Short mmCIF file of all heavy atoms in Angstrom, two decimals:
data_model
loop_
_atom_site.label_atom_id
_atom_site.label_comp_id
_atom_site.label_asym_id
_atom_site.label_seq_id
_atom_site.Cartn_x
_atom_site.Cartn_y
_atom_site.Cartn_z
N ASP A 209 171.09 -48.62 172.73
CA ASP A 209 169.95 -49.47 172.44
C ASP A 209 168.76 -48.59 172.09
O ASP A 209 168.63 -47.50 172.61
CB ASP A 209 169.58 -50.32 173.65
CG ASP A 209 170.71 -51.26 174.06
OD1 ASP A 209 171.53 -51.59 173.21
OD2 ASP A 209 170.74 -51.67 175.23
N PHE A 210 167.89 -49.09 171.25
CA PHE A 210 166.65 -48.40 170.92
C PHE A 210 165.49 -49.31 171.26
O PHE A 210 165.52 -50.49 170.98
CB PHE A 210 166.59 -48.04 169.44
CG PHE A 210 167.68 -47.11 169.01
CD1 PHE A 210 168.77 -47.58 168.32
CD2 PHE A 210 167.61 -45.77 169.33
CE1 PHE A 210 169.79 -46.74 167.93
CE2 PHE A 210 168.62 -44.91 168.94
CZ PHE A 210 169.71 -45.39 168.24
N THR A 211 164.45 -48.75 171.86
CA THR A 211 163.27 -49.51 172.22
C THR A 211 162.07 -48.88 171.54
O THR A 211 161.91 -47.66 171.58
CB THR A 211 163.05 -49.48 173.75
OG1 THR A 211 164.27 -49.84 174.39
CG2 THR A 211 161.96 -50.44 174.16
N LEU A 212 161.24 -49.70 170.93
CA LEU A 212 160.02 -49.21 170.30
C LEU A 212 158.83 -49.60 171.16
O LEU A 212 158.42 -50.76 171.18
CB LEU A 212 159.87 -49.79 168.89
CG LEU A 212 161.04 -49.52 167.95
CD1 LEU A 212 160.85 -50.28 166.65
CD2 LEU A 212 161.19 -48.04 167.70
N PRO A 213 158.26 -48.65 171.92
CA PRO A 213 157.15 -49.00 172.81
C PRO A 213 155.88 -49.30 172.03
O PRO A 213 155.57 -48.62 171.05
CB PRO A 213 156.98 -47.75 173.67
CG PRO A 213 157.53 -46.64 172.84
CD PRO A 213 158.62 -47.25 171.99
N ALA A 214 155.16 -50.30 172.48
CA ALA A 214 153.92 -50.71 171.80
C ALA A 214 152.81 -49.68 172.00
O ALA A 214 151.92 -49.56 171.17
CB ALA A 214 153.48 -52.07 172.33
N ASP A 215 152.84 -48.94 173.08
CA ASP A 215 151.75 -48.01 173.38
C ASP A 215 151.95 -46.63 172.76
O ASP A 215 151.11 -45.75 172.92
CB ASP A 215 151.57 -47.88 174.89
CG ASP A 215 152.79 -47.28 175.59
OD1 ASP A 215 153.79 -47.00 174.92
OD2 ASP A 215 152.72 -47.12 176.81
N GLY A 216 153.04 -46.42 172.04
CA GLY A 216 153.28 -45.13 171.39
C GLY A 216 153.51 -44.00 172.36
O GLY A 216 153.23 -42.85 172.07
N SER A 217 154.03 -44.29 173.55
CA SER A 217 154.17 -43.29 174.59
C SER A 217 155.37 -42.36 174.45
O SER A 217 155.47 -41.39 175.17
CB SER A 217 154.24 -43.99 175.95
OG SER A 217 155.38 -44.84 175.98
N VAL A 218 156.27 -42.63 173.54
CA VAL A 218 157.47 -41.82 173.41
C VAL A 218 157.11 -40.44 172.86
O VAL A 218 156.70 -40.32 171.72
CB VAL A 218 158.51 -42.49 172.49
CG1 VAL A 218 159.71 -41.60 172.31
CG2 VAL A 218 158.92 -43.82 173.04
N ALA A 219 157.26 -39.42 173.69
CA ALA A 219 157.03 -38.04 173.28
C ALA A 219 155.82 -37.93 172.35
O ALA A 219 155.88 -37.32 171.29
CB ALA A 219 158.28 -37.47 172.63
N SER A 220 154.70 -38.53 172.76
CA SER A 220 153.54 -38.68 171.89
C SER A 220 152.97 -37.36 171.39
O SER A 220 152.33 -37.34 170.34
CB SER A 220 152.46 -39.49 172.59
OG SER A 220 152.07 -38.82 173.78
N ALA A 221 153.17 -36.28 172.08
CA ALA A 221 152.60 -35.00 171.64
C ALA A 221 153.36 -34.39 170.47
O ALA A 221 152.80 -33.58 169.74
CB ALA A 221 152.60 -34.02 172.81
N VAL A 222 154.60 -34.78 170.26
CA VAL A 222 155.41 -34.13 169.23
C VAL A 222 155.91 -35.07 168.14
O VAL A 222 156.42 -34.61 167.13
CB VAL A 222 156.62 -33.39 169.84
CG1 VAL A 222 156.17 -32.27 170.76
CG2 VAL A 222 157.54 -34.34 170.57
N LEU A 223 155.75 -36.38 168.32
CA LEU A 223 156.28 -37.33 167.35
C LEU A 223 155.18 -38.15 166.68
O LEU A 223 154.10 -38.33 167.23
CB LEU A 223 157.28 -38.28 168.03
CG LEU A 223 158.49 -37.62 168.68
CD1 LEU A 223 159.37 -38.67 169.34
CD2 LEU A 223 159.28 -36.80 167.70
N VAL A 224 155.49 -38.64 165.50
CA VAL A 224 154.55 -39.47 164.73
C VAL A 224 154.52 -40.87 165.37
O VAL A 224 155.57 -41.50 165.53
CB VAL A 224 155.00 -39.57 163.26
CG1 VAL A 224 154.12 -40.54 162.48
CG2 VAL A 224 155.00 -38.20 162.61
N PRO A 225 153.33 -41.38 165.73
CA PRO A 225 153.25 -42.73 166.28
C PRO A 225 153.82 -43.75 165.29
O PRO A 225 153.60 -43.65 164.08
CB PRO A 225 151.75 -42.95 166.47
CG PRO A 225 151.17 -41.57 166.57
CD PRO A 225 152.03 -40.71 165.67
N GLY A 226 154.57 -44.69 165.79
CA GLY A 226 155.18 -45.70 164.94
C GLY A 226 156.51 -45.28 164.34
O GLY A 226 157.20 -46.07 163.71
N ARG A 227 156.88 -44.03 164.52
CA ARG A 227 158.16 -43.52 164.02
C ARG A 227 158.92 -42.84 165.14
O ARG A 227 159.51 -41.78 164.98
CB ARG A 227 157.94 -42.55 162.87
CG ARG A 227 157.38 -43.23 161.65
CD ARG A 227 157.46 -42.36 160.46
NE ARG A 227 156.98 -43.11 159.30
CZ ARG A 227 157.14 -42.70 158.07
NH1 ARG A 227 157.76 -41.58 157.83
NH2 ARG A 227 156.67 -43.42 157.08
N ALA A 228 158.87 -43.47 166.32
CA ALA A 228 159.52 -42.94 167.50
C ALA A 228 160.11 -44.08 168.30
O ALA A 228 159.64 -45.21 168.23
CB ALA A 228 158.52 -42.16 168.36
N ALA A 229 161.16 -43.78 169.04
CA ALA A 229 161.80 -44.80 169.87
C ALA A 229 162.39 -44.15 171.11
O ALA A 229 162.72 -42.97 171.11
CB ALA A 229 162.90 -45.51 169.09
N THR A 230 162.52 -44.96 172.14
CA THR A 230 163.20 -44.55 173.35
C THR A 230 164.65 -45.01 173.26
O THR A 230 164.90 -46.14 172.85
CB THR A 230 162.54 -45.18 174.60
OG1 THR A 230 161.18 -44.77 174.65
CG2 THR A 230 163.25 -44.78 175.87
N VAL A 231 165.58 -44.14 173.61
CA VAL A 231 167.00 -44.51 173.63
C VAL A 231 167.32 -44.96 175.04
O VAL A 231 167.04 -44.25 176.01
CB VAL A 231 167.89 -43.30 173.24
CG1 VAL A 231 169.35 -43.69 173.27
CG2 VAL A 231 167.51 -42.77 171.87
N THR A 232 167.89 -46.17 175.16
CA THR A 232 168.23 -46.70 176.47
C THR A 232 169.71 -47.04 176.55
O THR A 232 170.34 -47.34 175.54
CB THR A 232 167.41 -47.97 176.80
OG1 THR A 232 167.67 -48.95 175.80
CG2 THR A 232 165.92 -47.67 176.82
N ALA A 233 170.24 -46.98 177.74
CA ALA A 233 171.62 -47.38 178.02
C ALA A 233 171.62 -48.08 179.36
O ALA A 233 171.15 -47.51 180.35
CB ALA A 233 172.56 -46.18 178.03
N GLY A 234 172.11 -49.29 179.38
CA GLY A 234 172.13 -50.04 180.62
C GLY A 234 170.76 -50.27 181.20
O GLY A 234 170.59 -50.33 182.42
N GLY A 235 169.75 -50.34 180.35
CA GLY A 235 168.39 -50.59 180.80
C GLY A 235 167.63 -49.35 181.23
O GLY A 235 166.45 -49.43 181.55
N ALA A 236 168.27 -48.19 181.26
CA ALA A 236 167.61 -46.95 181.66
C ALA A 236 167.34 -46.07 180.45
O ALA A 236 168.19 -45.95 179.56
CB ALA A 236 168.48 -46.20 182.66
N ALA A 237 166.18 -45.45 180.42
CA ALA A 237 165.84 -44.53 179.33
C ALA A 237 166.67 -43.26 179.48
O ALA A 237 166.67 -42.63 180.53
CB ALA A 237 164.36 -44.20 179.36
N ILE A 238 167.40 -42.91 178.42
CA ILE A 238 168.22 -41.70 178.47
C ILE A 238 167.83 -40.71 177.36
O ILE A 238 168.46 -39.66 177.22
CB ILE A 238 169.72 -42.02 178.36
CG1 ILE A 238 170.04 -42.70 177.04
CG2 ILE A 238 170.18 -42.84 179.56
CD1 ILE A 238 171.51 -42.73 176.72
N GLY A 239 166.78 -41.01 176.61
CA GLY A 239 166.35 -40.08 175.57
C GLY A 239 165.32 -40.69 174.66
O GLY A 239 164.80 -41.77 174.91
N TRP A 240 165.04 -39.96 173.58
CA TRP A 240 164.07 -40.41 172.59
C TRP A 240 164.46 -39.85 171.24
O TRP A 240 165.25 -38.92 171.14
CB TRP A 240 162.66 -39.99 172.97
CG TRP A 240 162.52 -38.52 173.29
CD1 TRP A 240 162.58 -37.95 174.53
CD2 TRP A 240 162.32 -37.44 172.37
NE1 TRP A 240 162.44 -36.59 174.44
CE2 TRP A 240 162.28 -36.24 173.11
CE3 TRP A 240 162.18 -37.37 171.00
CZ2 TRP A 240 162.09 -35.00 172.52
CZ3 TRP A 240 162.01 -36.11 170.40
CH2 TRP A 240 161.95 -34.96 171.17
N LEU A 241 163.88 -40.43 170.17
CA LEU A 241 164.08 -39.91 168.83
C LEU A 241 162.90 -40.30 167.98
O LEU A 241 162.18 -41.23 168.29
CB LEU A 241 165.39 -40.42 168.21
CG LEU A 241 165.59 -41.94 168.11
CD1 LEU A 241 165.07 -42.45 166.78
CD2 LEU A 241 167.05 -42.26 168.24
N GLY A 242 162.68 -39.56 166.90
CA GLY A 242 161.58 -39.90 166.01
C GLY A 242 161.25 -38.79 165.03
O GLY A 242 161.89 -37.74 165.02
N GLN A 243 160.20 -39.03 164.25
CA GLN A 243 159.76 -38.07 163.24
C GLN A 243 158.83 -37.05 163.89
O GLN A 243 157.90 -37.40 164.60
CB GLN A 243 159.04 -38.77 162.10
CG GLN A 243 158.65 -37.83 160.99
CD GLN A 243 157.96 -38.54 159.84
OE1 GLN A 243 157.77 -39.74 159.86
NE2 GLN A 243 157.58 -37.78 158.83
N LEU A 244 159.07 -35.79 163.62
CA LEU A 244 158.28 -34.70 164.17
C LEU A 244 156.87 -34.72 163.58
O LEU A 244 156.68 -34.95 162.39
CB LEU A 244 158.96 -33.37 163.85
CG LEU A 244 158.60 -32.15 164.67
CD1 LEU A 244 158.83 -32.40 166.15
CD2 LEU A 244 159.41 -30.96 164.20
N ALA A 245 155.87 -34.51 164.44
CA ALA A 245 154.47 -34.53 164.02
C ALA A 245 154.18 -33.45 162.99
O ALA A 245 154.74 -32.35 163.04
CB ALA A 245 153.56 -34.35 165.24
N SER A 246 153.29 -33.75 162.06
CA SER A 246 152.99 -32.82 160.97
C SER A 246 152.42 -31.50 161.47
O SER A 246 152.66 -30.46 160.87
CB SER A 246 152.04 -33.47 159.96
OG SER A 246 150.83 -33.81 160.59
N ALA A 247 151.66 -31.49 162.57
CA ALA A 247 151.12 -30.24 163.11
C ALA A 247 152.24 -29.28 163.51
O ALA A 247 152.14 -28.07 163.30
CB ALA A 247 150.22 -30.54 164.30
N ILE A 248 153.30 -29.82 164.05
CA ILE A 248 154.43 -28.98 164.46
C ILE A 248 155.22 -28.53 163.24
O ILE A 248 155.64 -27.37 163.14
CB ILE A 248 155.32 -29.73 165.46
CG1 ILE A 248 154.51 -29.98 166.73
CG2 ILE A 248 156.58 -28.94 165.77
CD1 ILE A 248 155.17 -30.85 167.73
N VAL A 249 155.40 -29.43 162.29
CA VAL A 249 156.11 -29.07 161.05
C VAL A 249 155.35 -27.95 160.34
O VAL A 249 155.95 -26.95 159.92
CB VAL A 249 156.26 -30.31 160.14
CG1 VAL A 249 156.78 -29.92 158.77
CG2 VAL A 249 157.18 -31.33 160.78
N ASP A 250 154.04 -28.08 160.23
CA ASP A 250 153.21 -27.05 159.58
C ASP A 250 153.29 -25.71 160.32
O ASP A 250 153.33 -24.66 159.68
CB ASP A 250 151.75 -27.50 159.50
CG ASP A 250 151.55 -28.70 158.59
OD1 ASP A 250 152.46 -28.99 157.77
OD2 ASP A 250 150.51 -29.37 158.72
N ALA A 251 153.30 -25.75 161.64
CA ALA A 251 153.34 -24.52 162.44
C ALA A 251 154.64 -23.74 162.24
O ALA A 251 154.68 -22.54 162.50
CB ALA A 251 153.15 -24.86 163.91
N HIS A 252 155.68 -24.42 161.78
CA HIS A 252 156.98 -23.75 161.58
C HIS A 252 157.29 -23.55 160.10
O HIS A 252 158.44 -23.31 159.74
CB HIS A 252 158.08 -24.55 162.28
CG HIS A 252 157.95 -24.50 163.77
ND1 HIS A 252 158.35 -23.43 164.51
CD2 HIS A 252 157.44 -25.40 164.64
CE1 HIS A 252 158.10 -23.65 165.79
NE2 HIS A 252 157.54 -24.85 165.89
N ASP A 253 156.27 -23.64 159.25
CA ASP A 253 156.42 -23.39 157.81
C ASP A 253 157.50 -24.24 157.14
O ASP A 253 158.21 -23.77 156.25
CB ASP A 253 156.66 -21.91 157.53
CG ASP A 253 155.49 -21.04 157.94
OD1 ASP A 253 154.34 -21.52 157.80
OD2 ASP A 253 155.70 -19.91 158.40
N ILE A 254 157.63 -25.47 157.58
CA ILE A 254 158.55 -26.41 156.94
C ILE A 254 157.77 -27.12 155.84
O ILE A 254 156.63 -27.52 156.06
CB ILE A 254 159.10 -27.42 157.97
CG1 ILE A 254 159.88 -26.67 159.05
CG2 ILE A 254 159.98 -28.46 157.30
CD1 ILE A 254 160.26 -27.53 160.24
N PRO A 255 158.33 -27.24 154.65
CA PRO A 255 157.59 -27.91 153.57
C PRO A 255 157.10 -29.30 153.99
O PRO A 255 157.83 -30.07 154.60
CB PRO A 255 158.62 -28.02 152.44
CG PRO A 255 159.59 -26.91 152.72
CD PRO A 255 159.64 -26.80 154.22
N ALA A 256 155.84 -29.58 153.63
CA ALA A 256 155.21 -30.85 154.03
C ALA A 256 155.94 -32.05 153.47
O ALA A 256 155.88 -33.15 154.03
CB ALA A 256 153.75 -30.86 153.60
N ALA A 257 156.64 -31.89 152.36
CA ALA A 257 157.36 -33.01 151.75
C ALA A 257 158.61 -33.39 152.53
O ALA A 257 159.18 -34.46 152.30
CB ALA A 257 157.73 -32.67 150.31
N ASP A 258 159.05 -32.52 153.44
CA ASP A 258 160.27 -32.79 154.22
C ASP A 258 159.92 -33.58 155.48
O ASP A 258 159.08 -33.16 156.28
CB ASP A 258 160.96 -31.49 154.62
CG ASP A 258 161.53 -30.74 153.45
OD1 ASP A 258 161.65 -31.34 152.37
OD2 ASP A 258 161.85 -29.55 153.61
N ASP A 259 160.56 -34.73 155.66
CA ASP A 259 160.42 -35.48 156.91
C ASP A 259 161.46 -34.93 157.88
O ASP A 259 162.65 -34.90 157.58
CB ASP A 259 160.67 -36.97 156.68
CG ASP A 259 159.58 -37.63 155.86
OD1 ASP A 259 158.46 -37.09 155.83
OD2 ASP A 259 159.85 -38.66 155.25
N VAL A 260 161.00 -34.49 159.04
CA VAL A 260 161.89 -33.90 160.04
C VAL A 260 162.01 -34.87 161.21
O VAL A 260 161.00 -35.27 161.80
CB VAL A 260 161.36 -32.54 160.54
CG1 VAL A 260 162.28 -31.96 161.60
CG2 VAL A 260 161.21 -31.58 159.37
N TYR A 261 163.23 -35.24 161.53
CA TYR A 261 163.48 -36.13 162.67
C TYR A 261 164.21 -35.36 163.75
O TYR A 261 165.07 -34.53 163.46
CB TYR A 261 164.30 -37.35 162.23
CG TYR A 261 163.47 -38.34 161.45
CD1 TYR A 261 163.22 -38.15 160.09
CD2 TYR A 261 162.88 -39.43 162.08
CE1 TYR A 261 162.43 -39.04 159.38
CE2 TYR A 261 162.09 -40.31 161.37
CZ TYR A 261 161.87 -40.12 160.03
OH TYR A 261 161.07 -40.99 159.33
N VAL A 262 163.85 -35.63 165.00
CA VAL A 262 164.43 -34.96 166.15
C VAL A 262 164.84 -36.00 167.18
O VAL A 262 164.37 -37.14 167.17
CB VAL A 262 163.44 -33.96 166.77
CG1 VAL A 262 163.16 -32.80 165.82
CG2 VAL A 262 162.14 -34.63 167.17
N ALA A 263 165.73 -35.59 168.06
CA ALA A 263 166.17 -36.49 169.13
C ALA A 263 166.54 -35.66 170.35
O ALA A 263 166.92 -34.50 170.24
CB ALA A 263 167.38 -37.31 168.68
N GLU A 264 166.42 -36.29 171.50
CA GLU A 264 166.88 -35.69 172.75
C GLU A 264 167.57 -36.80 173.53
O GLU A 264 166.97 -37.86 173.78
CB GLU A 264 165.71 -35.13 173.55
CG GLU A 264 166.14 -34.53 174.88
CD GLU A 264 164.98 -33.91 175.61
OE1 GLU A 264 164.64 -32.75 175.31
OE2 GLU A 264 164.40 -34.60 176.47
N ILE A 265 168.83 -36.58 173.87
CA ILE A 265 169.59 -37.57 174.62
C ILE A 265 170.24 -36.88 175.82
O ILE A 265 170.87 -35.83 175.67
CB ILE A 265 170.66 -38.24 173.74
CG1 ILE A 265 169.98 -38.99 172.59
CG2 ILE A 265 171.55 -39.19 174.55
CD1 ILE A 265 170.92 -39.59 171.58
N ASP A 266 170.07 -37.45 176.99
CA ASP A 266 170.67 -36.93 178.21
C ASP A 266 172.14 -37.34 178.22
O ASP A 266 172.48 -38.48 178.54
CB ASP A 266 169.94 -37.49 179.43
CG ASP A 266 170.46 -36.96 180.75
OD1 ASP A 266 171.57 -36.38 180.78
OD2 ASP A 266 169.76 -37.13 181.76
N LEU A 267 173.02 -36.42 177.85
CA LEU A 267 174.44 -36.76 177.73
C LEU A 267 175.09 -37.05 179.09
O LEU A 267 176.03 -37.83 179.16
CB LEU A 267 175.19 -35.63 177.01
CG LEU A 267 174.74 -35.42 175.56
CD1 LEU A 267 175.51 -34.26 174.94
CD2 LEU A 267 174.92 -36.68 174.74
N ASP A 268 174.58 -36.44 180.16
CA ASP A 268 175.10 -36.75 181.49
C ASP A 268 174.79 -38.20 181.85
O ASP A 268 175.64 -38.92 182.37
CB ASP A 268 174.52 -35.81 182.54
CG ASP A 268 175.03 -34.38 182.40
OD1 ASP A 268 176.18 -34.21 181.92
OD2 ASP A 268 174.29 -33.45 182.76
N ALA A 269 173.57 -38.64 181.56
CA ALA A 269 173.20 -40.03 181.84
C ALA A 269 173.99 -40.98 180.96
O ALA A 269 174.41 -42.05 181.41
CB ALA A 269 171.70 -40.23 181.63
N LEU A 270 174.20 -40.61 179.70
CA LEU A 270 174.99 -41.44 178.80
C LEU A 270 176.43 -41.56 179.28
O LEU A 270 177.00 -42.64 179.34
CB LEU A 270 174.95 -40.87 177.38
CG LEU A 270 175.74 -41.62 176.33
CD1 LEU A 270 175.20 -43.02 176.14
CD2 LEU A 270 175.71 -40.85 175.01
N SER A 271 177.02 -40.45 179.67
CA SER A 271 178.40 -40.43 180.15
C SER A 271 178.55 -41.26 181.42
O SER A 271 179.54 -41.96 181.61
CB SER A 271 178.85 -39.00 180.40
OG SER A 271 180.14 -38.96 180.91
N ALA A 272 177.55 -41.18 182.31
CA ALA A 272 177.60 -41.94 183.56
C ALA A 272 177.59 -43.45 183.32
O ALA A 272 178.10 -44.21 184.13
CB ALA A 272 176.43 -41.55 184.45
N ARG A 273 177.04 -43.88 182.19
CA ARG A 273 176.96 -45.30 181.88
C ARG A 273 178.09 -45.78 180.98
O ARG A 273 178.19 -46.95 180.67
CB ARG A 273 175.61 -45.61 181.25
CG ARG A 273 174.50 -45.55 182.26
CD ARG A 273 173.13 -45.52 181.62
NE ARG A 273 172.08 -45.55 182.61
CZ ARG A 273 171.71 -44.52 183.37
NH1 ARG A 273 172.34 -43.37 183.25
NH2 ARG A 273 170.74 -44.64 184.25
N ALA A 274 178.93 -44.87 180.53
CA ALA A 274 180.05 -45.25 179.66
C ALA A 274 181.15 -45.91 180.49
O ALA A 274 181.38 -45.54 181.63
CB ALA A 274 180.61 -44.02 178.96
N PRO A 275 181.83 -46.89 179.92
CA PRO A 275 182.95 -47.50 180.64
C PRO A 275 184.00 -46.43 180.95
O PRO A 275 184.23 -45.51 180.17
CB PRO A 275 183.51 -48.52 179.64
CG PRO A 275 182.42 -48.73 178.65
CD PRO A 275 181.61 -47.49 178.62
N VAL A 276 184.62 -46.56 182.11
CA VAL A 276 185.60 -45.56 182.56
C VAL A 276 186.72 -45.39 181.54
O VAL A 276 187.15 -44.27 181.27
CB VAL A 276 186.17 -45.94 183.94
CG1 VAL A 276 187.26 -44.98 184.35
CG2 VAL A 276 185.06 -45.96 184.97
N ASP A 277 187.19 -46.47 180.93
CA ASP A 277 188.28 -46.36 179.97
C ASP A 277 187.85 -45.69 178.66
O ASP A 277 188.68 -45.28 177.87
CB ASP A 277 188.93 -47.71 179.69
CG ASP A 277 187.96 -48.72 179.10
OD1 ASP A 277 186.73 -48.55 179.28
OD2 ASP A 277 188.42 -49.68 178.48
N ALA A 278 186.54 -45.53 178.45
CA ALA A 278 186.06 -44.88 177.23
C ALA A 278 185.95 -43.37 177.42
O ALA A 278 185.72 -42.64 176.48
CB ALA A 278 184.71 -45.44 176.84
N ARG A 279 186.11 -42.89 178.65
CA ARG A 279 185.98 -41.47 178.95
C ARG A 279 187.33 -40.78 178.85
O ARG A 279 187.96 -40.47 179.85
CB ARG A 279 185.43 -41.27 180.35
CG ARG A 279 184.06 -41.78 180.56
CD ARG A 279 183.64 -41.43 181.96
NE ARG A 279 182.57 -42.28 182.41
CZ ARG A 279 182.09 -42.27 183.62
NH1 ARG A 279 182.61 -41.49 184.52
NH2 ARG A 279 181.11 -43.08 183.94
N ARG A 280 187.77 -40.53 177.67
CA ARG A 280 189.01 -39.78 177.52
C ARG A 280 188.88 -38.85 176.33
O ARG A 280 188.17 -39.11 175.38
CB ARG A 280 190.21 -40.69 177.37
CG ARG A 280 190.16 -41.62 176.19
CD ARG A 280 191.33 -42.59 176.30
NE ARG A 280 190.79 -43.92 176.15
CZ ARG A 280 191.10 -44.72 175.16
NH1 ARG A 280 191.96 -44.37 174.27
NH2 ARG A 280 190.56 -45.90 175.07
N ALA A 281 189.54 -37.77 176.45
CA ALA A 281 189.51 -36.78 175.37
C ALA A 281 190.91 -36.27 175.14
O ALA A 281 191.74 -36.24 176.04
CB ALA A 281 188.59 -35.62 175.75
N SER A 282 191.18 -35.90 173.92
CA SER A 282 192.47 -35.33 173.56
C SER A 282 192.25 -33.89 173.16
O SER A 282 191.27 -33.57 172.47
CB SER A 282 193.08 -36.08 172.39
OG SER A 282 193.24 -37.44 172.70
N PRO A 283 193.15 -33.03 173.55
CA PRO A 283 192.98 -31.63 173.15
C PRO A 283 193.13 -31.50 171.63
O PRO A 283 193.87 -32.26 171.00
CB PRO A 283 194.10 -30.90 173.88
CG PRO A 283 195.08 -31.94 174.27
CD PRO A 283 194.33 -33.23 174.37
N LEU A 284 192.39 -30.57 171.07
CA LEU A 284 192.51 -30.29 169.64
C LEU A 284 193.84 -29.63 169.35
O LEU A 284 194.35 -28.87 170.19
CB LEU A 284 191.37 -29.40 169.18
CG LEU A 284 189.97 -30.00 169.29
CD1 LEU A 284 188.92 -28.95 168.96
CD2 LEU A 284 189.84 -31.18 168.38
N PRO A 285 194.42 -29.88 168.20
CA PRO A 285 195.69 -29.23 167.87
C PRO A 285 195.50 -27.72 167.75
O PRO A 285 194.47 -27.24 167.27
CB PRO A 285 196.09 -29.85 166.54
CG PRO A 285 194.86 -30.46 165.99
CD PRO A 285 193.96 -30.76 167.15
N ARG A 286 196.47 -27.00 168.19
CA ARG A 286 196.39 -25.53 168.14
C ARG A 286 196.38 -25.05 166.70
O ARG A 286 195.68 -24.10 166.35
CB ARG A 286 197.57 -24.94 168.89
CG ARG A 286 197.51 -23.43 168.96
CD ARG A 286 198.61 -22.89 169.87
NE ARG A 286 198.71 -21.48 169.76
CZ ARG A 286 198.23 -20.62 170.63
NH1 ARG A 286 197.58 -21.07 171.69
NH2 ARG A 286 198.38 -19.33 170.45
N PHE A 287 197.15 -25.68 165.82
CA PHE A 287 197.21 -25.32 164.43
C PHE A 287 196.90 -26.56 163.59
O PHE A 287 197.81 -27.27 163.17
CB PHE A 287 198.59 -24.77 164.06
CG PHE A 287 198.98 -23.57 164.86
CD1 PHE A 287 199.89 -23.67 165.91
CD2 PHE A 287 198.42 -22.33 164.60
CE1 PHE A 287 200.23 -22.57 166.67
CE2 PHE A 287 198.76 -21.22 165.34
CZ PHE A 287 199.67 -21.33 166.38
N PRO A 288 195.61 -26.85 163.35
CA PRO A 288 195.26 -28.07 162.61
C PRO A 288 195.72 -28.00 161.15
O PRO A 288 195.84 -26.93 160.58
CB PRO A 288 193.74 -28.11 162.69
CG PRO A 288 193.33 -26.70 162.98
CD PRO A 288 194.47 -26.07 163.72
N ALA A 289 195.99 -29.16 160.60
CA ALA A 289 196.38 -29.24 159.19
C ALA A 289 195.20 -28.85 158.32
O ALA A 289 194.06 -29.14 158.61
CB ALA A 289 196.84 -30.66 158.86
N ALA A 290 195.50 -28.18 157.24
CA ALA A 290 194.43 -27.72 156.34
C ALA A 290 194.34 -28.64 155.14
O ALA A 290 195.22 -29.25 154.68
CB ALA A 290 194.68 -26.30 155.88
#
């Protein structure tokens, strides 16, 4: 789920207001995503014409909220097909 807060509180120091959201799972905030603020983009010599989007998601919190039957992994093949 994505939530767009009215007060612009999602990582307000690094993201563009109105282009940010909180990522929620089961009603709990587990991360955020949005467009990186121009001051930060400029500080890293990224062309101003490029929109940079970033995200942070707590994978432990996400995994804890996943259904038990969804938590399975298969080993990768030792010799994958080319």
Side-chain angles (χ1 to χ4, degrees):
D209 298 336
F210 298 103
T211 310
L212 303 174
D215 63 359
S217 61
V218 177
S220 60
V222 297
L223 301 179
V224 175
R227 293 193 176 192
T230 301
V231 179
T232 59
I238 61 165
W240 51 266
L241 57 91
Q243 184 179 0
L244 200 56
S246 61
I248 295 172
V249 171
D250 294 342
H252 292 282
D253 296 325
I254 298 170
D258 293 345
D259 291 337
V260 179
Y261 285 82
V262 294
E264 179 177 276
I265 298 175
D266 182 345
L267 296 178
D268 290 331
L270 179 63
S271 178
R273 287 166 176 76
V276 175
D277 61 338
R279 296 183 201 174
R280 60 188 129 117
S282 301
L284 296 173
R286 184 173 170 102
F287 302 103

